[in-house]
Amino acid sequence: MASQSTSTPDDFNIFYSLEESNDETSQPYQGLTGLRNLGNTCYMNAVLQCLCSISPLVEYFLSGKYVATLHKENGEVATAFAYLMAEMWLGEFECVSPEVFRSVISDLCPAFTKKTQQDAQEFLIYVLNKLHEALKKSCKRRCYGNTSTSREDRGTGSETSIITQLFEGQLSYDITCLACHTTTDKNEVFTVLSLPIPSESACSLQDCLECFFQQDTLTWNNQIHCSFCGTKQDAAVKANIGKAPKMVIFHLKRFDYQGSYKRKLGTNIYYPLSNLDLSPYIYPLFRKNPQYNLCAVVNHFGYLDGGHYTAFCKHTFTQNWYSFDDAQVSEIPQSSVQSAAAYLLFYSCKAFSVPTKTHKY
């Protein structure tokens, strides 16, 4: 049994070929490498395992394509991410340490330095934002966020990166003034859809989606300023997906905060492993890829102020499901992927292909 890796970026050479390393006998841990827990870092490990199971992202970093668009002034996160992904996919160890990646993240965001449990969804958004900033092809800044926290546009311009190409979608809001009945529209980009849970016992992902996309009425302090009426008015707001992303990530809002009161919802949510139909929520003109397949899950076990994160990921080569519990990696039956602890769901609009040959740089 191989021991844990202690190599550093200076020791590592990424000039490998995935085509040459597809022999599972020579690379037994290819994409099935555990991550050492550095002290309450299970939230980080679970998110990294999910991101490192997404074939287009794997190929982009292992091929060295990211180097051509890397912004050296803020590229530390992307470089550390590429190094860690190479260790996980091309290394010879059953478990590696994400210490270098964590160190880079901690320097930029001290909250992740503390050896206390952090929220996996917040960490995911932070990492996606930093990767985009390092790899974007435009100087204009776009701030990624959770769509449940704001109905405002997140940015303007035509920035593009591997992150926007894979994860970015757009919500379109139809806003109707209830006084003059004039309808205006507003757009918002998203990388994560944060879904309310409409039941405390059991429900389906479709129930959560219907709750998110149902028409809402804005009154009192939430009134809009109607330019036609010239004053604040009550309004009806209806959201649709204007642009569906290739990868859609759902955040199930299990952590409920109401003033000083907080709790975790243990609702058992049924989610399909294949053929998730998003067409009811997509504008008809943009229904090109309404069917999605599950490819990864972040689970949260325990209570609000503690607990433990794990990940389920579908392997690109074997098409089997695996459980990633920090350093422990084990194959699981498809029936075990349906979990009452599911917190983040990663869906792809098409099946992943095996990463192709790496190009040297």
PDB file of all heavy atoms in Angstrom, residues 114-135:
ATOM      1  N   LYS A 114      -8.669  29.110   9.993  1.00  0.00           N
ATOM      2  CA  LYS A 114      -9.098  28.583  11.280  1.00  0.00           C
ATOM      3  C   LYS A 114      -9.403  27.088  11.185  1.00  0.00           C
ATOM      4  O   LYS A 114      -9.962  26.614  10.201  1.00  0.00           O
ATOM      5  CB  LYS A 114     -10.356  29.327  11.750  1.00  0.00           C
ATOM      6  CG  LYS A 114     -10.174  30.841  11.867  1.00  0.00           C
ATOM      7  CD  LYS A 114     -11.497  31.508  12.206  1.00  0.00           C
ATOM      8  CE  LYS A 114     -11.351  33.027  12.256  1.00  0.00           C
ATOM      9  NZ  LYS A 114     -12.652  33.690  12.528  1.00  0.00           N
ATOM     10  N   LYS A 115      -9.027  26.378  12.230  1.00  0.00           N
ATOM     11  CA  LYS A 115      -9.305  24.948  12.262  1.00  0.00           C
ATOM     12  C   LYS A 115     -10.700  24.691  12.833  1.00  0.00           C
ATOM     13  O   LYS A 115     -10.894  23.937  13.778  1.00  0.00           O
ATOM     14  CB  LYS A 115      -8.240  24.212  13.060  1.00  0.00           C
ATOM     15  CG  LYS A 115      -6.888  24.183  12.353  1.00  0.00           C
ATOM     16  CD  LYS A 115      -5.901  23.263  13.038  1.00  0.00           C
ATOM     17  CE  LYS A 115      -4.603  23.185  12.241  1.00  0.00           C
ATOM     18  NZ  LYS A 115      -3.633  22.254  12.854  1.00  0.00           N
ATOM     19  N   THR A 116     -11.667  25.366  12.216  1.00  0.00           N
ATOM     20  CA  THR A 116     -13.070  25.188  12.574  1.00  0.00           C
ATOM     21  C   THR A 116     -13.837  24.837  11.310  1.00  0.00           C
ATOM     22  O   THR A 116     -13.406  25.161  10.201  1.00  0.00           O
ATOM     23  CB  THR A 116     -13.661  26.461  13.197  1.00  0.00           C
ATOM     24  OG1 THR A 116     -13.468  27.563  12.280  1.00  0.00           O
ATOM     25  CG2 THR A 116     -12.989  26.789  14.520  1.00  0.00           C
ATOM     26  N   GLN A 117     -14.980  24.198  11.510  1.00  0.00           N
ATOM     27  CA  GLN A 117     -15.777  23.785  10.367  1.00  0.00           C
ATOM     28  C   GLN A 117     -16.305  24.994   9.605  1.00  0.00           C
ATOM     29  O   GLN A 117     -16.794  25.950  10.196  1.00  0.00           O
ATOM     30  CB  GLN A 117     -16.946  22.928  10.846  1.00  0.00           C
ATOM     31  CG  GLN A 117     -17.705  22.256   9.733  1.00  0.00           C
ATOM     32  CD  GLN A 117     -16.889  21.209   9.004  1.00  0.00           C
ATOM     33  OE1 GLN A 117     -16.230  21.510   8.012  1.00  0.00           O
ATOM     34  NE2 GLN A 117     -16.895  19.993   9.500  1.00  0.00           N
ATOM     35  N   GLN A 118     -16.167  24.961   8.270  1.00  0.00           N
ATOM     36  CA  GLN A 118     -16.671  26.023   7.412  1.00  0.00           C
ATOM     37  C   GLN A 118     -17.770  25.464   6.517  1.00  0.00           C
ATOM     38  O   GLN A 118     -17.940  24.248   6.397  1.00  0.00           O
ATOM     39  CB  GLN A 118     -15.536  26.606   6.564  1.00  0.00           C
ATOM     40  CG  GLN A 118     -14.369  27.161   7.360  1.00  0.00           C
ATOM     41  CD  GLN A 118     -14.741  28.377   8.190  1.00  0.00           C
ATOM     42  OE1 GLN A 118     -15.527  29.211   7.758  1.00  0.00           O
ATOM     43  NE2 GLN A 118     -14.179  28.478   9.390  1.00  0.00           N
ATOM     44  N   ASP A 119     -18.501  26.353   5.876  1.00  0.00           N
ATOM     45  CA  ASP A 119     -19.597  25.935   5.011  1.00  0.00           C
ATOM     46  C   ASP A 119     -19.062  25.546   3.633  1.00  0.00           C
ATOM     47  O   ASP A 119     -18.378  26.338   2.982  1.00  0.00           O
ATOM     48  CB  ASP A 119     -20.616  27.058   4.880  1.00  0.00           C
ATOM     49  CG  ASP A 119     -21.848  26.621   4.117  1.00  0.00           C
ATOM     50  OD1 ASP A 119     -22.786  26.098   4.747  1.00  0.00           O
ATOM     51  OD2 ASP A 119     -21.867  26.769   2.882  1.00  0.00           O
ATOM     52  N   ALA A 120     -19.390  24.341   3.178  1.00  0.00           N
ATOM     53  CA  ALA A 120     -18.877  23.840   1.900  1.00  0.00           C
ATOM     54  C   ALA A 120     -19.362  24.677   0.723  1.00  0.00           C
ATOM     55  O   ALA A 120     -18.627  24.893  -0.248  1.00  0.00           O
ATOM     56  CB  ALA A 120     -19.294  22.378   1.714  1.00  0.00           C
ATOM     57  N   GLN A 121     -20.601  25.161   0.797  1.00  0.00           N
ATOM     58  CA  GLN A 121     -21.132  25.970  -0.296  1.00  0.00           C
ATOM     59  C   GLN A 121     -20.390  27.298  -0.418  1.00  0.00           C
ATOM     60  O   GLN A 121     -20.056  27.740  -1.519  1.00  0.00           O
ATOM     61  CB  GLN A 121     -22.622  26.212  -0.059  1.00  0.00           C
ATOM     62  CG  GLN A 121     -23.288  27.060  -1.120  1.00  0.00           C
ATOM     63  CD  GLN A 121     -23.762  28.396  -0.568  1.00  0.00           C
ATOM     64  OE1 GLN A 121     -24.191  29.251  -1.326  1.00  0.00           O
ATOM     65  NE2 GLN A 121     -23.684  28.601   0.733  1.00  0.00           N
ATOM     66  N   GLU A 122     -20.088  27.931   0.708  1.00  0.00           N
ATOM     67  CA  GLU A 122     -19.340  29.187   0.681  1.00  0.00           C
ATOM     68  C   GLU A 122     -17.930  28.958   0.152  1.00  0.00           C
ATOM     69  O   GLU A 122     -17.402  29.776  -0.613  1.00  0.00           O
ATOM     70  CB  GLU A 122     -19.303  29.793   2.082  1.00  0.00           C
ATOM     71  CG  GLU A 122     -20.656  30.248   2.590  1.00  0.00           C
ATOM     72  CD  GLU A 122     -20.602  30.787   4.015  1.00  0.00           C
ATOM     73  OE1 GLU A 122     -19.497  30.773   4.605  1.00  0.00           O
ATOM     74  OE2 GLU A 122     -21.646  31.218   4.527  1.00  0.00           O
ATOM     75  N   PHE A 123     -17.319  27.851   0.543  1.00  0.00           N
ATOM     76  CA  PHE A 123     -15.981  27.535   0.059  1.00  0.00           C
ATOM     77  C   PHE A 123     -15.995  27.282  -1.449  1.00  0.00           C
ATOM     78  O   PHE A 123     -15.111  27.738  -2.180  1.00  0.00           O
ATOM     79  CB  PHE A 123     -15.436  26.308   0.797  1.00  0.00           C
ATOM     80  CG  PHE A 123     -14.065  25.872   0.336  1.00  0.00           C
ATOM     81  CD1 PHE A 123     -12.937  26.565   0.726  1.00  0.00           C
ATOM     82  CD2 PHE A 123     -13.920  24.770  -0.491  1.00  0.00           C
ATOM     83  CE1 PHE A 123     -11.676  26.175   0.294  1.00  0.00           C
ATOM     84  CE2 PHE A 123     -12.665  24.375  -0.925  1.00  0.00           C
ATOM     85  CZ  PHE A 123     -11.538  25.072  -0.528  1.00  0.00           C
ATOM     86  N   LEU A 124     -17.000  26.561  -1.928  1.00  0.00           N
ATOM     87  CA  LEU A 124     -17.121  26.279  -3.358  1.00  0.00           C
ATOM     88  C   LEU A 124     -17.211  27.566  -4.167  1.00  0.00           C
ATOM     89  O   LEU A 124     -16.503  27.745  -5.167  1.00  0.00           O
ATOM     90  CB  LEU A 124     -18.356  25.415  -3.608  1.00  0.00           C
ATOM     91  CG  LEU A 124     -18.770  25.223  -5.072  1.00  0.00           C
ATOM     92  CD1 LEU A 124     -17.708  24.465  -5.840  1.00  0.00           C
ATOM     93  CD2 LEU A 124     -20.118  24.509  -5.154  1.00  0.00           C
ATOM     94  N   ILE A 125     -18.094  28.473  -3.749  1.00  0.00           N
ATOM     95  CA  ILE A 125     -18.254  29.741  -4.468  1.00  0.00           C
ATOM     96  C   ILE A 125     -16.953  30.534  -4.451  1.00  0.00           C
ATOM     97  O   ILE A 125     -16.564  31.142  -5.460  1.00  0.00           O
ATOM     98  CB  ILE A 125     -19.416  30.557  -3.866  1.00  0.00           C
ATOM     99  CG1 ILE A 125     -20.754  29.880  -4.180  1.00  0.00           C
ATOM    100  CG2 ILE A 125     -19.416  31.988  -4.385  1.00  0.00           C
ATOM    101  CD1 ILE A 125     -21.947  30.551  -3.550  1.00  0.00           C
ATOM    102  N   TYR A 126     -16.267  30.527  -3.317  1.00  0.00           N
ATOM    103  CA  TYR A 126     -15.010  31.264  -3.201  1.00  0.00           C
ATOM    104  C   TYR A 126     -13.963  30.710  -4.170  1.00  0.00           C
ATOM    105  O   TYR A 126     -13.276  31.463  -4.873  1.00  0.00           O
ATOM    106  CB  TYR A 126     -14.488  31.203  -1.770  1.00  0.00           C
ATOM    107  CG  TYR A 126     -13.243  32.043  -1.535  1.00  0.00           C
ATOM    108  CD1 TYR A 126     -13.345  33.397  -1.291  1.00  0.00           C
ATOM    109  CD2 TYR A 126     -11.976  31.472  -1.592  1.00  0.00           C
ATOM    110  CE1 TYR A 126     -12.211  34.179  -1.102  1.00  0.00           C
ATOM    111  CE2 TYR A 126     -10.832  32.240  -1.404  1.00  0.00           C
ATOM    112  CZ  TYR A 126     -10.957  33.585  -1.152  1.00  0.00           C
ATOM    113  OH  TYR A 126      -9.834  34.354  -0.977  1.00  0.00           O
ATOM    114  N   VAL A 127     -13.841  29.383  -4.230  1.00  0.00           N
ATOM    115  CA  VAL A 127     -12.852  28.761  -5.114  1.00  0.00           C
ATOM    116  C   VAL A 127     -13.184  29.026  -6.575  1.00  0.00           C
ATOM    117  O   VAL A 127     -12.300  29.373  -7.370  1.00  0.00           O
ATOM    118  CB  VAL A 127     -12.764  27.247  -4.841  1.00  0.00           C
ATOM    119  CG1 VAL A 127     -11.916  26.551  -5.912  1.00  0.00           C
ATOM    120  CG2 VAL A 127     -12.162  26.986  -3.466  1.00  0.00           C
ATOM    121  N   LEU A 128     -14.458  28.882  -6.956  1.00  0.00           N
ATOM    122  CA  LEU A 128     -14.844  29.154  -8.341  1.00  0.00           C
ATOM    123  C   LEU A 128     -14.558  30.600  -8.729  1.00  0.00           C
ATOM    124  O   LEU A 128     -14.097  30.890  -9.838  1.00  0.00           O
ATOM    125  CB  LEU A 128     -16.327  28.839  -8.544  1.00  0.00           C
ATOM    126  CG  LEU A 128     -16.740  27.365  -8.483  1.00  0.00           C
ATOM    127  CD1 LEU A 128     -18.241  27.223  -8.664  1.00  0.00           C
ATOM    128  CD2 LEU A 128     -15.989  26.535  -9.516  1.00  0.00           C
ATOM    129  N   ASN A 129     -14.823  31.522  -7.808  1.00  0.00           N
ATOM    130  CA  ASN A 129     -14.550  32.932  -8.071  1.00  0.00           C
ATOM    131  C   ASN A 129     -13.056  33.181  -8.283  1.00  0.00           C
ATOM    132  O   ASN A 129     -12.651  33.892  -9.212  1.00  0.00           O
ATOM    133  CB  ASN A 129     -15.074  33.790  -6.920  1.00  0.00           C
ATOM    134  CG  ASN A 129     -14.939  35.271  -7.198  1.00  0.00           C
ATOM    135  OD1 ASN A 129     -15.366  35.748  -8.246  1.00  0.00           O
ATOM    136  ND2 ASN A 129     -14.341  35.995  -6.272  1.00  0.00           N
ATOM    137  N   LYS A 130     -12.219  32.584  -7.417  1.00  0.00           N
ATOM    138  CA  LYS A 130     -10.774  32.777  -7.526  1.00  0.00           C
ATOM    139  C   LYS A 130     -10.213  32.136  -8.791  1.00  0.00           C
ATOM    140  O   LYS A 130      -9.299  32.686  -9.432  1.00  0.00           O
ATOM    141  CB  LYS A 130     -10.074  32.220  -6.292  1.00  0.00           C
ATOM    142  CG  LYS A 130     -10.270  33.072  -5.044  1.00  0.00           C
ATOM    143  CD  LYS A 130      -9.734  34.479  -5.258  1.00  0.00           C
ATOM    144  CE  LYS A 130      -9.953  35.367  -4.047  1.00  0.00           C
ATOM    145  NZ  LYS A 130      -9.493  36.765  -4.299  1.00  0.00           N
ATOM    146  N   LEU A 131     -10.726  30.979  -9.162  1.00  0.00           N
ATOM    147  CA  LEU A 131     -10.273  30.341 -10.402  1.00  0.00           C
ATOM    148  C   LEU A 131     -10.664  31.191 -11.607  1.00  0.00           C
ATOM    149  O   LEU A 131      -9.871  31.365 -12.542  1.00  0.00           O
ATOM    150  CB  LEU A 131     -10.871  28.941 -10.525  1.00  0.00           C
ATOM    151  CG  LEU A 131     -10.341  27.884  -9.556  1.00  0.00           C
ATOM    152  CD1 LEU A 131     -11.096  26.576  -9.731  1.00  0.00           C
ATOM    153  CD2 LEU A 131      -8.840  27.661  -9.748  1.00  0.00           C
ATOM    154  N   HIS A 132     -11.872  31.733 -11.593  1.00  0.00           N
ATOM    155  CA  HIS A 132     -12.304  32.597 -12.689  1.00  0.00           C
ATOM    156  C   HIS A 132     -11.433  33.850 -12.780  1.00  0.00           C
ATOM    157  O   HIS A 132     -11.005  34.244 -13.868  1.00  0.00           O
ATOM    158  CB  HIS A 132     -13.767  32.997 -12.501  1.00  0.00           C
ATOM    159  CG  HIS A 132     -14.208  34.065 -13.455  1.00  0.00           C
ATOM    160  ND1 HIS A 132     -14.377  33.841 -14.803  1.00  0.00           N
ATOM    161  CD2 HIS A 132     -14.491  35.380 -13.254  1.00  0.00           C
ATOM    162  CE1 HIS A 132     -14.759  34.966 -15.393  1.00  0.00           C
ATOM    163  NE2 HIS A 132     -14.824  35.920 -14.469  1.00  0.00           N
ATOM    164  N   GLU A 133     -11.168  34.473 -11.641  1.00  0.00           N
ATOM    165  CA  GLU A 133     -10.350  35.684 -11.637  1.00  0.00           C
ATOM    166  C   GLU A 133      -8.953  35.419 -12.193  1.00  0.00           C
ATOM    167  O   GLU A 133      -8.359  36.273 -12.856  1.00  0.00           O
ATOM    168  CB  GLU A 133     -10.252  36.246 -10.216  1.00  0.00           C
ATOM    169  CG  GLU A 133     -11.544  36.853  -9.683  1.00  0.00           C
ATOM    170  CD  GLU A 133     -11.990  38.048 -10.505  1.00  0.00           C
ATOM    171  OE1 GLU A 133     -11.167  38.933 -10.771  1.00  0.00           O
ATOM    172  OE2 GLU A 133     -13.172  38.083 -10.887  1.00  0.00           O
ATOM    173  N   ALA A 134      -8.445  34.226 -11.941  1.00  0.00           N
ATOM    174  CA  ALA A 134      -7.092  33.900 -12.401  1.00  0.00           C
ATOM    175  C   ALA A 134      -7.045  33.530 -13.880  1.00  0.00           C
ATOM    176  O   ALA A 134      -5.998  33.656 -14.521  1.00  0.00           O
ATOM    177  CB  ALA A 134      -6.532  32.737 -11.577  1.00  0.00           C
ATOM    178  N   LEU A 135      -8.176  33.096 -14.439  1.00  0.00           N
ATOM    179  CA  LEU A 135      -8.168  32.533 -15.793  1.00  0.00           C
ATOM    180  C   LEU A 135      -9.027  33.302 -16.784  1.00  0.00           C
ATOM    181  O   LEU A 135      -9.099  32.924 -17.952  1.00  0.00           O
ATOM    182  CB  LEU A 135      -8.656  31.072 -15.731  1.00  0.00           C
ATOM    183  CG  LEU A 135      -7.842  30.149 -14.832  1.00  0.00           C
ATOM    184  CD1 LEU A 135      -8.587  28.832 -14.629  1.00  0.00           C
ATOM    185  CD2 LEU A 135      -6.460  29.900 -15.403  1.00  0.00           C
TER     186      LEU A 135
END
